[in-house]
Short mmCIF file of all heavy atoms in Angstrom, two decimals:
data_model
loop_
_atom_site.label_atom_id
_atom_site.label_comp_id
_atom_site.label_asym_id
_atom_site.label_seq_id
_atom_site.Cartn_x
_atom_site.Cartn_y
_atom_site.Cartn_z
N PRO A 1426 -104.59 70.84 79.96
CA PRO A 1426 -103.79 70.46 78.79
C PRO A 1426 -102.82 69.31 79.11
O PRO A 1426 -102.34 68.64 78.20
CB PRO A 1426 -103.01 71.73 78.45
CG PRO A 1426 -103.69 72.84 79.16
CD PRO A 1426 -104.39 72.25 80.35
N ARG A 1430 -101.70 65.07 84.86
CA ARG A 1430 -100.50 64.30 85.21
C ARG A 1430 -99.53 65.08 86.09
O ARG A 1430 -98.66 64.50 86.73
CB ARG A 1430 -99.76 63.90 83.93
CG ARG A 1430 -100.52 62.88 83.11
CD ARG A 1430 -99.83 62.69 81.78
NE ARG A 1430 -100.58 61.76 80.94
CZ ARG A 1430 -100.44 61.67 79.63
NH1 ARG A 1430 -99.59 62.45 79.01
NH2 ARG A 1430 -101.15 60.81 78.96
N GLN A 1431 -99.63 66.40 86.06
CA GLN A 1431 -98.63 67.22 86.74
C GLN A 1431 -99.20 67.94 87.96
O GLN A 1431 -100.36 68.33 87.98
CB GLN A 1431 -98.11 68.29 85.77
CG GLN A 1431 -96.94 67.84 84.91
CD GLN A 1431 -95.61 68.05 85.60
OE1 GLN A 1431 -95.40 67.60 86.74
NE2 GLN A 1431 -94.68 68.70 84.93
N SER A 1438 -95.94 74.65 77.62
CA SER A 1438 -96.50 75.07 76.34
C SER A 1438 -95.39 75.44 75.37
O SER A 1438 -94.69 76.43 75.57
CB SER A 1438 -97.43 76.28 76.51
OG SER A 1438 -97.77 76.78 75.23
N LYS A 1439 -95.25 74.63 74.36
CA LYS A 1439 -94.21 74.90 73.35
C LYS A 1439 -94.52 76.20 72.63
O LYS A 1439 -93.65 77.03 72.43
CB LYS A 1439 -94.18 73.72 72.36
CG LYS A 1439 -92.97 73.71 71.49
CD LYS A 1439 -92.88 72.39 70.74
CE LYS A 1439 -91.43 72.13 70.34
NZ LYS A 1439 -91.20 70.74 69.96
N SER A 1445 -91.65 72.45 79.89
CA SER A 1445 -92.29 71.70 80.97
C SER A 1445 -91.51 71.84 82.29
O SER A 1445 -90.31 71.62 82.32
CB SER A 1445 -92.35 70.24 80.53
OG SER A 1445 -92.59 69.41 81.62
N SER A 1447 -90.16 70.96 85.93
CA SER A 1447 -89.85 69.78 86.74
C SER A 1447 -89.80 70.19 88.20
O SER A 1447 -89.22 71.22 88.53
CB SER A 1447 -88.50 69.21 86.32
OG SER A 1447 -88.14 68.16 87.19
N ASN A 1449 -88.05 68.82 90.29
CA ASN A 1449 -86.75 68.44 90.83
C ASN A 1449 -85.81 69.62 91.06
O ASN A 1449 -84.85 69.49 91.78
CB ASN A 1449 -86.04 67.47 89.87
CG ASN A 1449 -86.60 66.09 89.98
OD1 ASN A 1449 -87.81 65.94 90.09
ND2 ASN A 1449 -85.76 65.10 89.99
N THR A 1452 -82.69 71.04 87.17
CA THR A 1452 -82.49 70.15 86.02
C THR A 1452 -82.68 70.90 84.70
O THR A 1452 -82.03 70.58 83.72
CB THR A 1452 -83.50 68.99 86.07
OG1 THR A 1452 -84.80 69.50 86.31
CG2 THR A 1452 -83.13 68.01 87.16
N ILE A 1455 -79.47 73.24 82.64
CA ILE A 1455 -78.58 72.69 81.62
C ILE A 1455 -79.37 72.36 80.35
O ILE A 1455 -78.84 72.44 79.24
CB ILE A 1455 -77.81 71.46 82.18
CG1 ILE A 1455 -76.95 70.77 81.09
CG2 ILE A 1455 -78.72 70.42 82.78
CD1 ILE A 1455 -75.77 71.56 80.62
N GLN A 1456 -80.63 72.03 80.50
CA GLN A 1456 -81.46 71.77 79.31
C GLN A 1456 -81.62 73.05 78.49
O GLN A 1456 -81.62 73.00 77.25
CB GLN A 1456 -82.82 71.23 79.73
CG GLN A 1456 -82.73 69.84 80.36
CD GLN A 1456 -84.00 69.45 81.12
OE1 GLN A 1456 -84.99 70.17 81.12
NE2 GLN A 1456 -83.95 68.31 81.78
N GLY A 1459 -78.63 73.32 76.48
CA GLY A 1459 -78.68 72.37 75.38
C GLY A 1459 -79.59 72.86 74.25
O GLY A 1459 -79.24 72.76 73.07
N ARG A 1467 -78.05 74.52 64.51
CA ARG A 1467 -78.90 74.62 63.31
C ARG A 1467 -78.89 76.01 62.69
O ARG A 1467 -79.69 76.31 61.80
CB ARG A 1467 -80.33 74.21 63.66
CG ARG A 1467 -80.51 72.75 64.05
CD ARG A 1467 -79.96 71.78 63.01
NE ARG A 1467 -80.44 72.09 61.67
CZ ARG A 1467 -81.57 71.63 61.16
NH1 ARG A 1467 -82.33 70.83 61.85
NH2 ARG A 1467 -81.95 71.97 59.95
N ASP A 1469 -79.97 78.75 63.69
CA ASP A 1469 -81.28 79.37 63.91
C ASP A 1469 -81.05 80.79 64.46
O ASP A 1469 -79.90 81.20 64.63
CB ASP A 1469 -82.01 78.50 64.95
CG ASP A 1469 -83.51 78.75 64.98
OD1 ASP A 1469 -83.96 79.75 64.43
OD2 ASP A 1469 -84.21 77.92 65.60
N ARG A 1471 -83.19 81.75 67.16
CA ARG A 1471 -83.90 81.73 68.44
C ARG A 1471 -82.94 81.51 69.60
O ARG A 1471 -81.92 80.85 69.43
CB ARG A 1471 -84.97 80.64 68.42
CG ARG A 1471 -86.06 80.91 67.39
CD ARG A 1471 -87.08 79.80 67.34
NE ARG A 1471 -86.54 78.59 66.75
CZ ARG A 1471 -87.10 77.39 66.90
NH1 ARG A 1471 -88.17 77.25 67.66
NH2 ARG A 1471 -86.58 76.35 66.32
N ASP A 1486 -76.36 70.67 88.59
CA ASP A 1486 -76.91 71.06 87.29
C ASP A 1486 -76.58 72.51 86.96
O ASP A 1486 -76.34 72.86 85.81
CB ASP A 1486 -78.44 70.89 87.28
CG ASP A 1486 -78.88 69.52 87.71
OD1 ASP A 1486 -78.53 69.12 88.84
OD2 ASP A 1486 -79.57 68.83 86.93
N TYR A 1497 -69.35 76.41 75.05
CA TYR A 1497 -69.90 76.46 73.68
C TYR A 1497 -70.49 77.83 73.36
O TYR A 1497 -71.13 77.99 72.32
CB TYR A 1497 -70.95 75.36 73.50
CG TYR A 1497 -70.42 73.98 73.80
CD1 TYR A 1497 -70.81 73.29 74.95
CD2 TYR A 1497 -69.49 73.37 72.96
CE1 TYR A 1497 -70.32 72.02 75.24
CE2 TYR A 1497 -68.98 72.11 73.24
CZ TYR A 1497 -69.40 71.43 74.38
OH TYR A 1497 -68.90 70.19 74.67
N MET A 1655 -104.09 57.90 81.94
CA MET A 1655 -102.93 57.68 82.80
C MET A 1655 -101.89 56.79 82.11
O MET A 1655 -100.70 56.92 82.34
CB MET A 1655 -103.42 57.01 84.08
CG MET A 1655 -102.40 56.72 85.12
SD MET A 1655 -103.24 56.21 86.64
CE MET A 1655 -103.65 54.51 86.28
N GLU A 1657 -101.51 56.51 78.77
CA GLU A 1657 -101.07 57.06 77.49
C GLU A 1657 -99.84 57.94 77.70
O GLU A 1657 -99.63 58.48 78.78
CB GLU A 1657 -102.17 57.94 76.88
CG GLU A 1657 -103.48 57.25 76.62
CD GLU A 1657 -103.45 56.36 75.37
OE1 GLU A 1657 -102.46 56.45 74.60
OE2 GLU A 1657 -104.40 55.57 75.21
N GLY A 1658 -99.05 58.07 76.63
CA GLY A 1658 -98.00 59.09 76.63
C GLY A 1658 -96.76 58.77 77.42
O GLY A 1658 -95.90 59.62 77.57
N ALA A 1661 -94.25 57.10 72.87
CA ALA A 1661 -95.03 57.53 71.70
C ALA A 1661 -96.05 56.45 71.34
O ALA A 1661 -97.20 56.74 71.02
CB ALA A 1661 -94.09 57.79 70.53
N GLU B 1430 -79.65 65.58 59.34
CA GLU B 1430 -78.74 66.58 59.92
C GLU B 1430 -79.10 66.95 61.36
O GLU B 1430 -78.36 67.68 62.01
CB GLU B 1430 -78.69 67.84 59.04
CG GLU B 1430 -80.02 68.54 58.85
CD GLU B 1430 -79.87 69.85 58.09
OE1 GLU B 1430 -78.75 70.23 57.73
OE2 GLU B 1430 -80.92 70.50 57.86
N ASP B 1431 -80.22 66.43 61.85
CA ASP B 1431 -80.56 66.66 63.26
C ASP B 1431 -79.78 65.74 64.20
O ASP B 1431 -79.78 65.94 65.42
CB ASP B 1431 -82.06 66.44 63.49
CG ASP B 1431 -82.89 67.59 62.93
OD1 ASP B 1431 -82.36 68.72 62.88
OD2 ASP B 1431 -84.04 67.35 62.54
N ASP B 1463 -66.33 67.20 71.55
CA ASP B 1463 -65.96 66.83 72.92
C ASP B 1463 -66.81 67.57 73.93
O ASP B 1463 -67.14 68.74 73.73
CB ASP B 1463 -64.49 67.20 73.17
CG ASP B 1463 -63.53 66.32 72.39
OD1 ASP B 1463 -63.82 65.12 72.26
OD2 ASP B 1463 -62.50 66.83 71.93
N ALA B 1464 -67.13 66.89 75.02
CA ALA B 1464 -67.91 67.51 76.09
C ALA B 1464 -67.07 67.58 77.36
O ALA B 1464 -66.16 66.78 77.55
CB ALA B 1464 -69.17 66.70 76.35
N GLY B 1470 -74.29 67.01 82.59
CA GLY B 1470 -74.26 68.06 81.58
C GLY B 1470 -74.50 67.48 80.20
O GLY B 1470 -75.25 68.05 79.40
N GLY B 1473 -78.18 66.23 80.16
CA GLY B 1473 -79.07 67.39 80.31
C GLY B 1473 -79.09 68.25 79.05
O GLY B 1473 -80.15 68.66 78.57
N ALA B 1474 -77.91 68.49 78.49
CA ALA B 1474 -77.83 69.28 77.25
C ALA B 1474 -78.51 68.52 76.12
O ALA B 1474 -79.22 69.11 75.29
CB ALA B 1474 -76.38 69.59 76.91
N GLY B 1477 -82.20 69.03 76.29
CA GLY B 1477 -82.56 70.35 75.76
C GLY B 1477 -82.52 70.37 74.24
O GLY B 1477 -83.41 70.91 73.58
N MET B 1478 -81.47 69.75 73.67
CA MET B 1478 -81.35 69.70 72.21
C MET B 1478 -82.50 68.91 71.59
O MET B 1478 -83.04 69.29 70.55
CB MET B 1478 -80.03 69.03 71.82
CG MET B 1478 -78.81 69.86 72.11
SD MET B 1478 -77.34 68.91 71.65
CE MET B 1478 -76.07 70.00 72.26
N SER B 1480 -85.45 68.48 72.82
CA SER B 1480 -86.70 69.23 72.93
C SER B 1480 -86.76 70.34 71.88
O SER B 1480 -87.83 70.78 71.48
CB SER B 1480 -86.88 69.82 74.34
OG SER B 1480 -86.01 70.91 74.54
N TYR B 1481 -85.60 70.74 71.41
CA TYR B 1481 -85.54 71.72 70.30
C TYR B 1481 -85.91 71.04 68.98
O TYR B 1481 -86.48 71.67 68.08
CB TYR B 1481 -84.12 72.29 70.21
CG TYR B 1481 -83.87 73.16 68.99
CD1 TYR B 1481 -84.04 74.54 69.05
CD2 TYR B 1481 -83.47 72.59 67.79
CE1 TYR B 1481 -83.82 75.33 67.94
CE2 TYR B 1481 -83.26 73.38 66.66
CZ TYR B 1481 -83.43 74.74 66.74
OH TYR B 1481 -83.22 75.52 65.63
N ASP B 1500 -80.43 61.53 87.43
CA ASP B 1500 -81.59 62.40 87.64
C ASP B 1500 -82.10 62.93 86.30
O ASP B 1500 -83.32 62.97 86.06
CB ASP B 1500 -81.21 63.55 88.57
CG ASP B 1500 -82.41 64.39 88.99
OD1 ASP B 1500 -83.52 63.83 89.10
OD2 ASP B 1500 -82.23 65.60 89.23
N GLN B 1501 -81.19 63.34 85.44
CA GLN B 1501 -81.60 63.83 84.12
C GLN B 1501 -82.27 62.73 83.32
O GLN B 1501 -83.23 62.98 82.59
CB GLN B 1501 -80.37 64.38 83.36
CG GLN B 1501 -79.84 65.70 83.90
CD GLN B 1501 -80.73 66.89 83.54
OE1 GLN B 1501 -81.62 66.81 82.69
NE2 GLN B 1501 -80.49 68.02 84.18
N SER B 1504 -85.73 61.57 85.86
CA SER B 1504 -86.74 62.58 86.16
C SER B 1504 -87.05 63.46 84.96
O SER B 1504 -88.06 64.16 84.96
CB SER B 1504 -86.28 63.49 87.30
OG SER B 1504 -85.76 62.74 88.36
N GLU B 1505 -86.18 63.48 83.99
CA GLU B 1505 -86.36 64.41 82.87
C GLU B 1505 -86.62 63.66 81.56
O GLU B 1505 -87.74 63.68 81.07
CB GLU B 1505 -85.12 65.31 82.76
CG GLU B 1505 -84.85 66.10 84.04
CD GLU B 1505 -85.94 67.10 84.36
OE1 GLU B 1505 -86.41 67.79 83.45
OE2 GLU B 1505 -86.35 67.18 85.54
N ARG B 1510 -92.19 63.46 77.89
CA ARG B 1510 -93.37 63.28 77.04
C ARG B 1510 -94.64 63.18 77.89
O ARG B 1510 -95.64 63.84 77.61
CB ARG B 1510 -93.23 62.00 76.20
CG ARG B 1510 -94.48 61.67 75.40
CD ARG B 1510 -94.38 60.32 74.73
NE ARG B 1510 -93.30 60.25 73.77
CZ ARG B 1510 -93.35 60.74 72.53
NH1 ARG B 1510 -94.44 61.34 72.11
NH2 ARG B 1510 -92.33 60.63 71.72
N TYR B 1511 -94.55 62.40 78.93
CA TYR B 1511 -95.72 62.14 79.77
C TYR B 1511 -96.16 63.41 80.49
O TYR B 1511 -97.32 63.82 80.43
CB TYR B 1511 -95.38 61.05 80.78
CG TYR B 1511 -96.58 60.55 81.58
CD1 TYR B 1511 -97.50 59.67 81.03
CD2 TYR B 1511 -96.77 60.96 82.90
CE1 TYR B 1511 -98.57 59.20 81.77
CE2 TYR B 1511 -97.84 60.51 83.65
CZ TYR B 1511 -98.74 59.62 83.08
OH TYR B 1511 -99.81 59.16 83.81
N ARG B 1512 -95.21 64.03 81.18
CA ARG B 1512 -95.61 65.15 82.04
C ARG B 1512 -96.04 66.37 81.24
O ARG B 1512 -96.79 67.20 81.75
CB ARG B 1512 -94.49 65.49 83.03
CG ARG B 1512 -93.35 66.28 82.44
CD ARG B 1512 -92.37 66.69 83.55
NE ARG B 1512 -91.48 67.70 83.05
CZ ARG B 1512 -90.17 67.71 83.23
NH1 ARG B 1512 -89.59 66.77 83.95
NH2 ARG B 1512 -89.43 68.68 82.75
N ASN B 1514 -97.58 66.09 78.31
CA ASN B 1514 -98.59 65.58 77.36
C ASN B 1514 -98.14 65.78 75.91
O ASN B 1514 -98.89 66.25 75.07
CB ASN B 1514 -99.96 66.23 77.60
CG ASN B 1514 -101.05 65.53 76.80
OD1 ASN B 1514 -100.91 64.37 76.41
ND2 ASN B 1514 -102.14 66.24 76.54
N GLU B 1516 -96.10 67.90 74.60
CA GLU B 1516 -95.64 69.21 74.16
C GLU B 1516 -94.13 69.17 73.89
O GLU B 1516 -93.63 69.80 72.98
CB GLU B 1516 -95.90 70.27 75.25
CG GLU B 1516 -97.30 70.77 75.33
CD GLU B 1516 -97.67 71.71 74.19
OE1 GLU B 1516 -97.20 72.85 74.16
OE2 GLU B 1516 -98.43 71.27 73.31
N ASP B 1574 -88.56 58.07 71.44
CA ASP B 1574 -88.41 58.12 72.90
C ASP B 1574 -86.96 57.89 73.32
O ASP B 1574 -86.15 57.40 72.53
CB ASP B 1574 -89.32 57.06 73.53
CG ASP B 1574 -90.79 57.44 73.43
OD1 ASP B 1574 -91.13 58.55 73.90
OD2 ASP B 1574 -91.57 56.68 72.84
#
Side-chain angles (χ1 to χ4, degrees):
Chain A
R1430 291 172 183 161
Q1431 273 273 53
S1438 171
K1439 194 169 204 164
S1445 163
S1447 174
N1449 283 41
T1452 48
I1455 175 70
Q1456 293 164 5
R1467 294 306 310 273
D1469 198 345
R1471 296 177 289 162
D1486 307 58
Y1497 304 108
M1655 181 170 79
E1657 300 283 350
Chain B
E1430 60 175 358
D1431 286 332
D1463 290 323
M1478 289 178 187
S1480 74
Y1481 172 93
D1500 188 31
Q1501 287 286 347
S1504 313
E1505 302 295 317
R1510 174 187 298 280
Y1511 188 78
R1512 78 174 194 225
N1514 190 22
E1516 281 286 288
D1574 288 304

